[in-house]
């Protein structure tokens, strides 16, 4: 009876919150209340008094539209709040917060937001993202357990559980992530699939008739089925079996009725994304046996106490044991303990940058993807929890950590010596899944990077956007960044991608001009904790600039800097990013030889430059100098704010073509001579 009362309390809070908001998704939350109660009360190891405890189980509500289910549970479980990364002695959510569901500036937004509400492990909204990122969390737990495990210590035995629905399972990203999870035999991962056969357009029979159980068995998953979504003992048993199955991930197919209890809307699409209406709400409460005279938002005596008695005590006991074990571990293994403290705090290890290379001037130079690979390896040697890989492109993106083993289940026998604590992750041709998995890795304390050609970032953008929303320090290594790709043709030549990423709030985009700018770009990326960083790198060689003649590459940290200058105020400004910087430097030398006062500005990062104060920005781009040329082998969108109304942007206004890189650059006007001629035309134009 106590379980039923707790479940019905969740359901009524869900209905009341959505009805008061006049907006929301009550049906899924009503259907999943028994599973939520079973998981939190009888299965999960989580201490509401410390929602950041490193040894906790992770719960991911992938169907973020059902956020009120999580909020109601966080409220009932008395999860404490977090402020500036520290637990504070106040509740994460109050009853008033539930009453303010979906309202402006509430702590209970329409979809769960990481960092806003304690108890929310990840921002979920777009379907498929949450359960896919849960794969990254499971990989991180395996990595930590393997790398830091020692005899007699079990610091990382936590389990990751994601509630997902038909929409999540339909999304392609979840298929990518599930396939990799099955290959890696992630026995610390459970997806609870809410199979209610309803989507917004009606019955899933109109679009979704595949055998999900068979599909996941083919992935290598352990598949269980619970026919009654209200059967708490059966749900508990399935969750228990999923936890005990350590050799493969588990999918629990849970048959539920959306909007359970609503007399006219249960099992229908209208229960999905709109309030039930007062008549249906009253009817549902009556079906639960809720007192007719109980006011809205009633929490019966004993419900919250029951959460404390079961979930709270179990979690507190587990954390106390973990804390004692961690103290003993640090005493016996101080080096490893210190590393773990850095991981938990999200800080950099001492000396991480001590071996960063310095590149001498070299007219031939090297591709920035090549220098990036060298810098990555220099950093990785001092940064043990820097892990990552590519979507089957590590040889091309130069993102293999040399001397490190691969992330694999040791039972796969794919590569000798491979194990879960490898540092090279082979994501396969799964760009979207790769980006979502990296979000899970970052949320677990590891420092992930992932790589691909810049054009394929189109497949990754939804997960990158969530990384930016959550301020996660994921590093994206994008190579083949322009028409310099050459013969692969327009399908592989990025045009609009730089502009897209520069438009994304919270993402820092860097396009370095030579090997030393690559070094500084990695320095920025490693020190940046406020969000993700993307590097755009070349396939073709770039001259390494003579830094005794030109300015230090340390200017990269400010996004844009004066690379080459003149005496007095310049007559013209020449700006570029990446490979095109060497073109404007060549034009600068010709103009200077003719007595023209010219300035070269390297612009590796619009984001960083725009964040500088006005005095600095004006010192680099003096407002009085109106003759300006911006050069970039991509869409010119965004350059107008730097070149102004009187300047010119030399950019791509079409897709590229197939051919040798030098031929394409000549055809589309990206040569020293073309930049010089454009500058000359501006100089000859009357003010």
């Amino acid at each position: 009876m106590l379980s039923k009362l707790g479940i019905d309390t969740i359901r009524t809070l869900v209905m009341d919150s959505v009805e008061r908001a006049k907006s929301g998704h009550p049906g899924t939350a009503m259907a999943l209340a028994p599973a939520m109660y079973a998981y939190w009360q009888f299965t999960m190891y989580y201490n509401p008094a410390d929602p950041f405890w490193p040894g906790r189980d992770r719960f991911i509500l992938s169907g973020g539209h059902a956020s009120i289910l999580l909020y109601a549970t966080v409220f009932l479980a008395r999860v404490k709040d977090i402020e500036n990364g520290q637990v504070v002695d106040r509740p994460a959510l109050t009853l008033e917060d539930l009453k303010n569901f979906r309202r402006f500036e509430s702590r209970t937004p329409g979809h769960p937001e990481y960092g806003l509400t304690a108890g929310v492990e990840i921002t979920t909204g777009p379907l498929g993202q949450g359960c896919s990122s849960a794969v990254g969390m499971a990989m991180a737990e395996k990595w930590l357990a393997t790398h830091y495990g020692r005899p007699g210590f079990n610091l990382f035995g936590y389990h990751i559980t994601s509630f997902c629905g038909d929409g999540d399972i339909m999304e392609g990203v979840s298929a990518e992530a599930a396939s990799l999870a099955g290959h890696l035999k992630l026995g610390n991962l459970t997806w609870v699939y809410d199979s209610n056969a309803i989507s917004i357009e009606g019955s899933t029979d109109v679009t979704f008739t595949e055998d999900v159980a068979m599909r996941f068995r083919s992935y290598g998953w352990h598949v269980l089925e619970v026919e009654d979504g209200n059967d708490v003992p059966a749900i508990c048993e399935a969750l228990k079996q999923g936890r005990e199955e350590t050799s493969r991930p588990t999918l629990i197919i849970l048959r539920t009725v959306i909007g359970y209890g609503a007399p006219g809307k249960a099992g229908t699409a209208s229960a999905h994304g709109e309030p039930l209406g007062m008549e249906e709400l009253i009817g549902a409460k009556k079906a639960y046996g809720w007192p007719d005279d109980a006011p809205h938002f009633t929490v019966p005596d004993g419900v919250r106490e029951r959460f404390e008695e079961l979930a709270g005590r179990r979690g507190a006991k587990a954390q106390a044991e973990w804390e004692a074990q961690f103290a003993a571990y640090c005493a016996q293994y101080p080096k490893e303990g210190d590393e773990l403290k850095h991981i938990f705090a999200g800080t950099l290890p001492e000396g991480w940058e001590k071996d960063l290379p310095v590149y001498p001037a070299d007219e031939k130079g090297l591709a920035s993807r090549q220098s990036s690979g060298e810098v990555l390896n220099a950093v990785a040697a001092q940064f043990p929890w820097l892990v990552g890989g590519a979507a089957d492109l590590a040889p091309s993106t130069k993102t293999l950590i040399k001397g490190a083993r691969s992330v694999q289940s040791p039972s796969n026998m794919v590569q000798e010596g491979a194990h879960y604590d490898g540092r090279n992750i082979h994501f396969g041709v799964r760009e979207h899944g790769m980006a979502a998995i990296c979000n899970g890795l970052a949320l677990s304390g590891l420092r992930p990077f992932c790589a691909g050609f810049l054009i394929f970032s189109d497949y990754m953008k939804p997960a990158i956007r969530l990384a930016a929303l959550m301020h996660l320090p994921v590093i994206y290594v994008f190579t083949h960044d322009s028409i310099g790709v050459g013969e692969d043709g327009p399908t592989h030549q990025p045009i609009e991608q730089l502009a897209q990423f520069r438009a994304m709030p919270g993402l820092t985009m860097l396009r370095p001009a030579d090997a030393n700018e690559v070094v500084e770009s990695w320095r920025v990326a490693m020190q940046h904790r406020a969000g993700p960083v993307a590097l755009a790198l070349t396939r073709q060689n770039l001259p390494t600039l003579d830094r005794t003649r030109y300015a230090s590459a340390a200017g990269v940290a400010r996004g844009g800097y004066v690379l080459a200058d003149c005496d007095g105020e310049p007559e013209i400004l020449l700006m570029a990013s990446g490979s095109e910087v060497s073109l404007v430097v060549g034009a600068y030398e010709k103009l200077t030889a003719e007595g023209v006062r010219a300035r070269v500005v390297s612009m590796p990062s619009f984001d960083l430059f725009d964040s500088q104060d006005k005095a600095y920005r004006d010192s680099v781009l003096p407002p009085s100098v109106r003759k300006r040329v911006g050069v970039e082998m991509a869409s010119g969108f965004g350059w107008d704010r730097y070149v102004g109304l009187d300047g010119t942007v030399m950019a791509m206004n079409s897709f590229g073509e197939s051919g040798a890189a030098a031929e394409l650059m000549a055809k589309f006007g990206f040569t020293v001579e073309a930049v010089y001629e454009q500058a000359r035309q501006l100089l000859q134009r009357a003010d």
Side-chain angles (χ1 to χ4, degrees):
M1 287 301 295
L2 284 174
S3 289
K4 183 180 186 306
L5 184 62
I7 292 166
D8 291 343
T9 301
I10 294 174
R11 282 172 163 156
T12 56
L13 288 174
V14 163
M15 292 187 294
D16 288 341
S17 298
V18 173
E19 198 65 35
R20 182 181 176 91
K22 303 301 180 188
S23 172
H25 300 72
T28 297
M30 293 161 67
L32 283 175
M36 193 70 158
Y37 191 88
Y39 176 66
W40 275 70
Q41 289 288 61
F42 303 115
T43 307
M44 188 185 194
Y45 286 87
Y46 180 91
N47 185 5
D50 187 357
F52 273 3
W53 162 44
R56 70 191 182 280
D57 287 343
R58 268 63 165 180
F59 171 74
I60 310 301
L61 183 64
S62 193
H65 55 275
S67 59
I68 189 60
L69 173 68
L70 179 55
Y71 300 148
T73 306
V74 165
F75 162 69
L76 292 174
R78 291 190 169 112
V79 174
K80 286 193 174 180
D81 205 2
I82 299 289
E83 186 175 295
N84 299 321
Q86 300 295 320
V87 179
V88 292
D89 191 19
R90 65 169 180 258
L93 293 176
T94 65
L95 200 59
E96 195 64 26
D97 290 315
L98 299 188
K99 293 177 180 179
N100 288 325
F101 176 54
R102 282 186 162 237
R103 293 188 176 179
F104 179 60
E105 294 188 336
S106 76
R107 298 167 66 82
T108 48
H111 291 79
E113 295 181 21
Y114 174 76
L116 176 66
T117 312
V120 172
E121 298 280 5
I122 181 173
T123 298
T124 54
L127 292 176
Q129 293 290 333
C131 56
S132 299
S133 292
V135 173
M137 293 182 178
M139 291 170 64
E141 188 280 331
K142 288 288 190 183
W143 193 95
L144 291 164
T146 304
H147 190 78
Y148 291 107
R150 296 293 184 272
F153 293 97
N154 182 29
L155 296 173
F156 300 103
Y158 61 82
H159 200 86
I160 298 88
T161 300
S162 177
F163 282 15
C164 52
D166 291 301
D168 292 289
I169 299 298
M170 289 186 213
E171 288 285 0
V173 64
S174 66
E176 294 181 16
S179 174
L180 186 58
H183 167 75
L184 293 175
K185 305 183 188 302
L186 299 177
N188 56 348
L189 175 67
T190 296
W191 287 4
V192 178
Y193 165 33
D194 171 30
S195 179
N196 61 38
I198 292 293
S199 63
I200 291 175
E201 294 182 357
S203 169
T204 55
D205 287 343
V206 299
T207 59
F208 192 54
T209 53
E210 69 185 43
D211 189 330
V212 173
M214 184 179 292
R215 170 153 71 99
F216 273 75
R217 288 189 181 103
S218 75
Y219 288 151
W221 284 55
H222 174 222
V223 179
L224 301 170
E225 300 190 47
V226 177
E227 293 300 326
D228 182 0
N230 291 303
D231 189 341
V232 171
I235 295 170
C236 287
E237 177 59 27
L239 289 167
K240 178 174 176 287
Q241 289 184 35
R243 197 174 192 105
E244 291 173 348
E245 174 53 75
T246 59
S247 64
R248 50 186 172 161
T250 294
L251 178 74
I252 299 173
I253 301 177
L254 181 66
R255 314 287 181 192
T256 68
V257 177
I258 194 168
Y260 177 82
K265 292 189 175 183
T268 70
S270 61
H272 172 77
E274 61 189 43
L276 295 175
M278 196 55 66
E279 183 178 342
E280 286 288 306
L281 184 148
I282 292 170
K285 288 184 177 181
K286 185 174 181 179
Y288 303 151
W290 207 248
D292 291 340
D293 58 350
H296 295 307
F297 295 96
T298 290
V299 180
D301 293 341
V303 172
R304 302 187 78 188
E305 290 76 12
R306 184 66 169 166
F307 267 91
E308 185 173 352
E309 177 186 350
L310 297 177
R313 288 184 184 177
R314 183 174 62 253
K317 180 176 182 293
Q319 180 172 0
E321 293 171 352
W322 187 93
E323 297 282 5
Q325 189 177 169
F326 184 57
Y329 180 93
C330 291
Q332 191 167 341
Y333 302 102
K335 176 179 177 293
E336 291 80 0
D338 184 63
E339 289 180 5
L340 286 172
K341 289 174 184 177
H342 278 295
I343 290 172
F344 300 154
T347 51
L348 299 171
E350 292 182 12
W352 70 270
E353 57 184 339
K354 70 176 186 178
D355 291 329
L356 292 180
V358 176
Y359 291 92
D362 183 353
E363 186 175 341
K364 179 182 177 183
L366 68 167
S368 54
R369 63 170 174 163
Q370 179 65 42
S371 53
S372 172
E374 294 171 3
V375 178
L376 165 63
N377 273 273
V379 174
Q382 309 300 327
F383 203 132
W385 56 97
L386 177 68
V387 300
D392 198 46
L393 287 171
S396 294
T397 56
K398 310 300 180 185
T399 46
L400 195 72
I401 298 178
K402 296 176 182 177
R405 56 188 180 182
S406 297
V407 173
Q408 292 286 350
S409 165
S411 63
N412 280 344
M413 302 299 290
V414 177
Q415 295 170 309
E416 186 177 353
H419 209 310
Y420 287 122
D421 70 337
R423 302 182 65 186
N424 292 304
I425 303 174
H426 304 283
F427 289 102
V429 187
R430 304 183 181 100
E431 290 91 352
H432 196 175
M434 171 177 71
I437 285 168
C438 281
N439 289 346
L441 293 170
L443 286 163
S444 304
L446 301 186
R447 195 67 190 274
F449 65 89
C450 59
F453 294 172
L454 181 56
I455 193 66
F456 300 137
S457 66
D458 287 352
Y459 290 166
M460 302 166 62
K461 186 174 178 293
I464 295 175
R465 186 175 188 272
L466 284 181
L469 269 169
M470 291 185 278
H471 309 290
L472 300 182
V474 182
I475 298 172
Y476 308 103
V477 180
F478 293 128
T479 66
H480 297 59
D481 72 339
S482 72
I483 62 171
V485 170
E487 293 84 354
D488 275 332
T491 65
H492 280 52
Q493 294 168 7
I495 302 297
E496 72 279 13
Q497 283 69 28
L498 288 173
Q500 289 175 350
F501 282 129
R502 286 167 178 160
M504 184 183 291
L507 172 70
T508 299
M509 188 84 207
L510 287 149
R511 189 168 182 248
D514 72 349
N516 288 305
E517 280 203 4
V518 168
V519 174
E520 296 307 315
S521 294
W522 269 99
R523 194 190 306 274
V524 167
M526 295 307 302
Q527 294 178 122
H528 190 67
R529 294 290 307 171
V533 174
L535 309 179
L537 308 168
T538 66
R539 179 194 185 197
Q540 74 273 22
N541 282 2
L542 302 180
T544 304
L545 299 173
D546 183 354
R547 296 293 170 166
T548 64
R549 175 174 172 77
Y550 303 111
S552 165
V556 167
R558 305 194 78 167
Y561 66 103
V562 177
L563 178 65
D565 211 357
C566 59
D567 293 329
E569 181 174 273
E571 299 171 70
I572 191 167
L573 305 179
L574 306 175
M575 297 173 277
S577 77
S579 53
E580 293 79 85
V581 170
S582 62
L583 303 182
V584 299
V585 167
Y588 162 85
E589 295 293 356
K590 292 187 68 171
L591 292 167
T592 299
E594 295 172 358
V596 174
R597 298 190 309 278
R599 171 181 289 183
V600 173
V601 175
S602 178
M603 292 287 288
S605 176
F606 288 13
D607 313 286
L608 292 175
F609 184 71
D610 290 347
S611 70
Q612 305 303 310
D613 60 48
K614 187 176 185 298
Y616 176 76
R617 285 184 278 119
D618 287 350
S619 73
V620 175
L621 304 177
S624 58
V625 182
R626 299 169 66 88
K627 293 178 179 178
R628 306 178 178 192
V629 179
V631 186
E632 192 167 69
M633 286 191 288
S635 167
F637 189 85
W639 275 95
D640 56 312
R641 65 183 182 273
Y642 302 129
V643 301
L645 296 176
D646 298 322
T648 297
V649 180
M650 300 176 65
M652 289 293 295
N653 299 307
S654 67
F655 293 112
E657 294 183 16
S658 181
E663 294 174 324
L664 296 181
M665 291 176 193
K667 172 175 179 174
F668 289 106
F670 295 101
T671 63
V672 170
E673 190 62 30
V675 176
Y676 167 78
E677 290 296 335
Q678 187 63 66
R680 267 293 171 202
Q681 289 178 30
L682 275 182
L683 288 165
Q684 291 166 7
R685 194 171 70 194
D687 289 330

